[in-house]
Amino acid sequence: MAVASKNIPAPDLVPLRRALLSVSDKNGLVEFARALAKAGVELISTGGTSKAIAEAGLAVRDVSDITGFPEIMDGRVKTLHPSVHGALLGVRDDPEHAAAMRQHHIEPIDLVVVNLYPFEEVRRSGAGYAATVENIDIGGPAMVRASAKNHAYVAIVTDPDDYGAVLNALEMNTGSLSLDFRKKLAAKAFARTAAYDAAISEWFAETLEIEHPAWRAFGGRLESVMRYGENPHQSAGFYVTGEKRPGVATARQVQGKQLSYNNINDTDAAFELAGEFDPEKSAAVAIIKHANPCGVAEGATLREAYLKALACDPTSAFGGIVALNRALDAEAAEEIVKTFTEVIIAPEASEEAARIVAAKKNLRLLIAGGLPDPRAAAQTVKSVAGGLLVQGRDNSVVDDLDLKVVTKRAPTEAELADLKFAFRVTKHVKSNAIVYVKDLATVGIGAGQMSRVDSSRIAARKALDAAEAAGLAEPLTKGSVVASDAFFPFPDGLLAAIEAGATAVIQPGGSVNDKIVIEAADEHGIAMVFTGVRHFRH
């Protein structure tokens, strides 16, 4: 049953006389407390926060002086008391509330400064169950929510980055904080507790292996506000979840302009693809445009891999994203900067490579510190009207699959290596996806078509264009292998690949027409392998 409102108007300015500070992150605490004390604000605090303020030589009252009750149970119970929450929740212009506060000797608190136990950090550290649970804050969120609800009278600060803004507002309003300012702080506070609770619920679901909890929440912290989104008329912001998976959200930007919405989307796609290739086995480079690969290759060196990848579709590579599975070296950097590139992302970069890239001041260089694990389990989220689609990440890796030869001819050793490479890449191409590969390099990619046969033909056409640009007598699809992200429903897509010059095929299988597709392959002497795993990507 909803609680009726008394419609008591909130005052615009509330003088700041008493503040309660209880923080886990003590960055900037002493300086902020000193400025509040200088402004004549009485300081109340708890535990380690109180100790830090007192050691700085500032007068501070312990919260137990307010409650008349000691901190107990290893600090679990210290602020959960009517003397605290009455001071936070009391509607001061409501005669009944004011009378209750007088009756119980509850003095109002005008400012609450709380940041929460570092649950997210403890979770990411891999701490045990008991230690993680112990870092679920209870008293902090209770004070945050109470203060935010009663923002008509109380200002709530949950982020040390806001200390300066509070002091500026206090000075501008001669010792008071405005209603508009209090509302903004309250909105941020509720968002913070929502993200905090989302992290806790996600951890429980993960720990207890609850695949689809009845209620689901996702939280993130604003990392940057962008000039615009996918298009100039769309606003956009980038939020980070705290997940430690190496990638665009965790990378260090060495140089270049701010990443745009499309840069982030494409860079994520590029580095996830680069992570499919073991750097101990070979160098690998992926070039991405509009979240689709336009060239991927392995090589003995990054330079070799880059040049092979670039040859697949040099036209589309212009203005693309380059992702590497090894530390960027000078030799590779010199080649990459010859083509206009938006972003380079790599696990590391040599000093010489960074100097070479620095000559292109707008080129963004991101250092990720590692590679994403293609086998790691996690969730992906997509918004739809009125809901969210949540699924497990596609963490299937071709090396782990039981490949089945279904044709009379088995692939050669070289064909099998190329088939695995092709299927690895196909996982990262928008459906319907067709990928031609030769000598561990893509030579034709068909992406995002409604018809599989069209993807096959487009990929072949791309290969023909690349051959003409390179002055080759014939496209590299001649003698290549081909991968499909899903089964061929009819032989037409397969026949288009054969016409382009493919000699071996890898696909999931599973069509009611598998038999006639296999017969078509046998008729043309083509080797075909079924993976049993589909890689749709939308």
Side-chain angles (χ1 to χ4, degrees):
M1 182 176 174
V3 178
S5 168
K6 296 182 179 180
N7 291 320
I8 296 173
D12 181 24
L13 295 175
V14 172
L16 181 49
R17 300 188 179 95
R18 301 175 85 220
L20 172 58
L21 303 93
S22 181
V23 297
S24 175
D25 178 359
K26 294 179 175 56
N27 285 320
L29 168 67
V30 170
E31 294 81 359
F32 185 50
R34 184 175 284 115
L36 291 175
K38 187 177 179 180
V41 178
E42 179 186 7
L43 306 181
I44 305 165
S45 192
T46 65
T49 307
S50 179
K51 181 181 178 183
I53 294 172
E55 287 177 348
L58 301 172
V60 58
R61 289 183 68 186
D62 194 273
V63 75
S64 60
D65 294 341
I66 306 299
T67 63
F69 204 88
E71 181 179 310
I72 61 172
M73 300 177 183
D74 300 317
R76 284 190 171 199
V77 180
K78 50 191 173 188
T79 58
L80 295 168
H81 192 280
S83 293
V84 173
H85 284 270
L88 303 181
L89 286 166
V91 178
R92 300 173 194 178
D93 294 316
D94 182 327
E96 293 180 12
H97 285 214
M101 292 177 77
R102 288 193 300 272
Q103 180 184 352
H104 297 287
H105 309 289
I106 296 172
E107 299 179 64
I109 293 172
D110 311 304
L111 173 69
V112 175
V113 183
V114 172
N115 50 65
L116 310 175
Y117 288 176
F119 175 85
E120 293 103 331
E121 288 80 1
V122 172
R123 177 192 179 191
R124 288 194 295 269
S125 74
Y129 188 93
T132 306
V133 168
E134 195 59 34
N135 277 277
I136 297 175
D137 202 335
I138 302 300
M143 288 193 293
V144 169
R145 290 176 61 82
S147 305
K149 176 175 181 175
N150 201 29
H151 61 267
Y153 301 94
V154 183
I156 172 64
V157 179
T158 57
D159 186 347
D161 288 345
D162 290 331
Y163 292 169
V166 171
L167 295 176
N168 288 338
L170 199 60
E171 184 176 357
M172 287 175 58
N173 293 297
T174 58
S176 297
L177 295 176
S178 71
L179 177 60
D180 182 65
F181 187 66
R182 298 193 305 273
K183 284 180 178 179
K184 290 176 180 176
L185 291 174
K188 185 171 184 177
F190 277 120
R192 175 65 188 109
T193 56
Y196 192 76
D197 285 340
I200 294 168
S201 64
E202 279 291 298
W203 174 76
F204 269 111
E206 177 185 293
T207 302
L208 302 179
E209 298 181 350
I210 303 171
E211 195 169 0
H212 300 294
W215 291 90
R216 190 143 216 172
F218 299 93
R221 177 181 58 79
L222 181 64
E223 179 69 15
S224 61
V225 175
M226 298 165 184
R227 287 197 302 133
Y228 55 82
E230 223 166 351
N231 300 292
H233 64 277
Q234 295 172 270
S235 64
F238 182 40
Y239 289 81
V240 293
T241 64
E243 183 188 9
K244 287 300 186 182
R245 185 176 180 84
V248 65
T250 57
R252 174 174 60 90
Q253 184 168 347
V254 176
Q255 69 155 67
K257 298 185 295 184
Q258 180 192 24
L259 291 165
S260 70
Y261 180 98
N262 292 326
N263 289 155
I264 290 173
N265 188 53
D266 290 352
T267 302
D268 178 67
F271 204 52
E272 286 292 323
L273 175 49
E276 296 278 351
F277 298 93
D278 185 349
E280 297 297 322
K281 294 180 179 178
S282 66
V285 173
I287 306 173
I288 298 290
K289 193 75 169 287
H290 295 299
N292 272 309
C294 52
V296 187
E298 290 183 71
T301 65
L302 286 173
R303 179 180 181 275
E304 179 189 336
Y306 173 74
L307 290 173
K308 289 168 67 177
L310 182 64
C312 178
D313 189 354
T315 300
S316 297
F318 185 86
I321 311 294
V322 175
L324 308 96
N325 72 335
R326 289 181 178 174
L328 175 67
D329 55 36
E331 190 182 39
E334 286 175 346
E335 288 296 338
I336 294 170
V337 298
K338 291 177 182 177
T339 299
F340 171 60
T341 301
E342 291 276 2
V343 180
I344 301 172
I345 183 169
E348 297 292 345
S350 71
E351 290 184 10
E352 189 178 356
R355 281 196 297 271
I356 292 167
V357 175
K360 304 288 185 179
K361 64 180 182 178
N362 290 330
L363 172 56
R364 295 94 161 169
L365 174 60
L366 303 182
I367 304 302
L371 286 171
D373 179 2
R375 295 177 173 85
Q379 276 76 44
T380 64
V381 183
K382 180 180 175 65
S383 64
V384 297
L388 297 170
L389 282 171
V390 182
Q391 67 172 348
R393 179 188 284 130
D394 184 354
N395 61 351
S396 174
V397 175
V398 67
D399 296 327
D400 303 333
L401 303 180
D402 183 17
L403 304 182
K404 181 182 179 183
V405 178
V406 295
T407 49
K408 294 175 182 177
R409 184 175 81 78
T412 64
E413 188 175 332
E415 284 176 330
L416 185 59
D418 278 349
L419 287 169
K420 288 183 176 181
F421 179 99
F423 203 65
R424 208 184 305 277
V425 174
T426 302
K427 172 180 169 182
H428 296 267
V429 180
K430 296 293 177 67
S431 300
N432 286 306
I434 293 291
V435 176
Y436 293 92
V437 166
K438 187 174 184 179
D439 298 328
L440 302 180
T442 57
V443 294
I445 299 173
Q449 298 304 303
M450 293 69 75
S451 163
R452 192 159 302 280
V453 67
D454 285 345
S455 287
S456 190
R457 289 168 177 160
I458 287 171
R461 178 70 242 184
K462 285 277 191 181
L464 187 61
D465 292 344
E468 290 175 356
L472 300 178
E474 61 181 13
L476 292 176
T477 49
K478 298 296 183 182
S480 69
V481 306
V482 66
S484 174
D485 64 335
F487 60 65
F488 288 102
F490 303 101
D492 53 357
L494 173 68
L495 293 174
I498 293 170
E499 184 180 349
T503 62
V505 181
I506 187 168
Q507 59 137 317
S511 168
V512 294
N513 289 325
D514 275 349
K515 185 174 182 294
I516 61 173
V517 172
I518 293 169
E519 287 172 352
D522 282 333
E523 184 179 337
H524 289 83
I526 299 299
M528 184 181 290
V529 173
F530 281 5
T531 66
V533 171
R534 188 178 72 183
H535 280 314
F536 268 173
R537 187 177 182 88
H538 296 111

